[in-house]
Amino acid sequence: MKQHAVFLMGPTASGKTAAALAVASQFPVEIVSVDSALVYRDMDIGTAKPTATELASCPQHLINIVSPEESYSAAQFRSDALTLINEICRRGRTPILVGGTMLYFKALHDGLSDLPQADGALREEIEQAAREKGWPALHTDLAELDPEAAARLNPNDAQRIQRALEIVRLSGQSLAENYNKRSPLDETPLPFLRIALEPSDRAVLHERIAQRFDAMLTAGFEQEVRKLLTQYTLSPNMASMRCVGYRQMWEYINGEIDFEQMRFKGIAATRQLAKRQITWMRQFKQTWPEVQTVDCLQPDHQAQILEQVSHWALQQQ
């Protein structure tokens, strides 16, 4: 079977899972999750993970594959996704890659830059400096080494500041110079149908985000995180605990903020995530041919996706 795949991209709360399952009800597909939070076991409520019934309704991959104590990189995703695409196509099915981790989509589609490998000693040195001076101070340090990279980062974005400092200090080059090292041979020469779910009214998406966060709280999100903290050896700097919602719940459980602050910060962080995801998709439209945009707020958006998948699937036969 010829290798091919469908991309179904969208911001958080845009209805990606429901749309993918609608496709699965009509076509022989298998879903590959493109979500850096769904990879973690026992993180179900705060990640809006598909329910047991939804997971059983269609083969779904790259969900519940690592411990919250572990990390999972874009390079690992790319390798796993390419293997899965090949296996799914061999089974005579269509892989549909669904999620909102846009870096993963880009890694799969365009390949990866030849970045320096993580250095444990340097990372600990950076984290220790952050504990002593705070991340805004390290953001200032980054600005001295790479002003362009620092200008794109929030002074409190610990994860990105840490990695940027690590790359610049290990390589002696700017972030842009490192990212430009990727070879065109790394690009994935597969036919993709690229569908972007995008809301026509950002305010409606924001209301969905707030409603979903409140539903998570009602469903026992706090209890889930408390259980994680007893079941695993975790720290706030781990990738799993930097996930939107989990970071704010950690602060609440640790007594750093009260419940209302946690709720406010959790919803605000999720809105910021959605904003970044939409920005990514708009950039994709400039560089990738034929990205199909579907308004996720339209009542017939699932029917539109089904029609596009049906037409494209016929072309791949």
Side-chain angles (χ1 to χ4, degrees):
M1 296 292 294
K2 182 169 65 173
Q3 286 186 318
H4 59 278
V6 176
F7 282 7
L8 182 55
M9 308 172 286
T12 185
S14 60
K16 299 180 295 294
T17 298
L21 292 175
V23 174
S25 70
Q26 300 294 322
F27 298 98
V29 305
E30 295 187 27
I31 294 172
V32 179
S33 170
V34 187
D35 191 303
S36 60
L38 295 190
V39 298
Y40 294 112
R41 292 187 291 271
D42 299 317
M43 292 173 56
D44 304 330
I45 298 173
T47 62
K49 193 171 289 179
T51 65
T53 301
E54 290 171 334
L55 289 171
S57 67
C58 167
Q60 299 186 50
H61 307 276
L62 302 187
I63 297 176
N64 296 327
I65 59 172
V66 298
S67 160
E69 298 169 329
E70 300 174 302
S71 61
Y72 186 77
S73 68
Q76 288 173 290
F77 168 80
R78 187 174 194 268
S79 176
D80 291 343
L82 287 172
T83 298
L84 285 164
I85 288 171
N86 181 55
E87 293 173 351
I88 294 167
C89 289
R90 286 183 180 276
R91 290 193 283 270
R93 293 173 170 266
T94 296
I96 178 167
L97 291 101
V98 183
T101 301
M102 303 304 168
L103 176 61
Y104 285 8
F105 280 114
K106 181 173 176 58
L108 177 59
H109 191 285
D110 296 339
L112 290 162
S113 302
D114 186 18
L115 300 177
Q117 293 296 312
D119 183 288
L122 177 56
R123 180 161 294 185
E124 176 55 33
E125 179 185 330
I126 292 170
E127 290 180 354
Q128 180 60 35
R131 287 190 289 269
E132 295 174 357
K133 302 189 298 181
W135 287 107
L138 268 68
H139 181 266
T140 301
D141 293 345
L142 176 63
E144 294 178 0
L145 296 171
D146 188 346
E148 182 181 348
R152 295 197 302 269
L153 298 179
N154 184 295
N156 290 298
D157 192 338
Q159 182 178 3
R160 290 177 174 82
I161 293 171
Q162 177 192 64
R163 183 57 177 151
L165 277 171
E166 188 177 39
I167 291 171
V168 173
R169 289 176 60 178
L170 285 172
S171 67
Q173 296 178 307
S174 71
L175 218 57
E177 290 173 315
N178 276 278
Y179 281 120
N180 286 334
K181 291 178 183 178
R182 179 180 54 80
S183 166
L185 296 177
D186 291 334
E187 296 179 6
T188 307
L190 299 178
F192 295 111
L193 169 64
R194 309 165 189 87
I195 301 174
L197 282 171
E198 189 170 334
S200 54
D201 187 340
R202 197 79 63 89
V204 176
L205 183 69
H206 288 175
E207 182 59 29
R208 284 188 181 182
I209 287 170
Q211 291 175 353
R212 190 170 74 168
F213 195 83
D214 285 338
M216 290 175 180
L217 294 175
T218 301
F221 182 31
E222 178 183 343
Q223 290 73 24
E224 176 178 270
V225 178
R226 288 186 182 278
K227 184 177 179 180
L228 287 170
L229 297 180
T230 61
Q231 188 173 354
Y232 299 98
T233 302
L234 301 173
S235 77
N237 291 322
M238 289 181 174
S240 59
M241 293 298 103
R242 289 199 298 259
C243 291
V244 167
Y246 288 87
R247 180 184 304 180
Q248 292 75 31
M249 185 59 76
W250 178 293
E251 292 176 349
Y252 168 64
I253 292 173
N254 200 41
E256 299 172 36
I257 56 177
D258 62 27
F259 184 87
E260 285 303 318
Q261 289 174 317
M262 176 272 294
R263 178 184 178 275
F264 176 83
K265 291 179 69 174
I267 292 172
T270 310
R271 288 178 176 178
Q272 285 299 312
L273 171 62
K275 180 180 179 180
R276 292 194 300 271
Q277 291 167 321
I278 292 170
T279 299
W280 270 97
M281 291 194 299
R282 290 178 177 171
Q283 292 172 348
F284 289 159
K285 292 176 192 177
Q286 297 174 3
T287 56
W288 295 354
E290 300 177 352
V291 174
Q292 306 296 315
T293 300
V294 174
D295 183 358
C296 62
L297 304 183
Q298 291 297 315
D300 67 338
H301 71 276
Q302 291 186 4
Q304 293 180 46
I305 294 170
L306 287 167
E307 182 178 354
Q308 291 184 17
V309 172
S310 177
H311 178 71
W312 184 79
L314 288 174
Q315 296 178 321
Q316 304 309 308
Q317 293 180 356

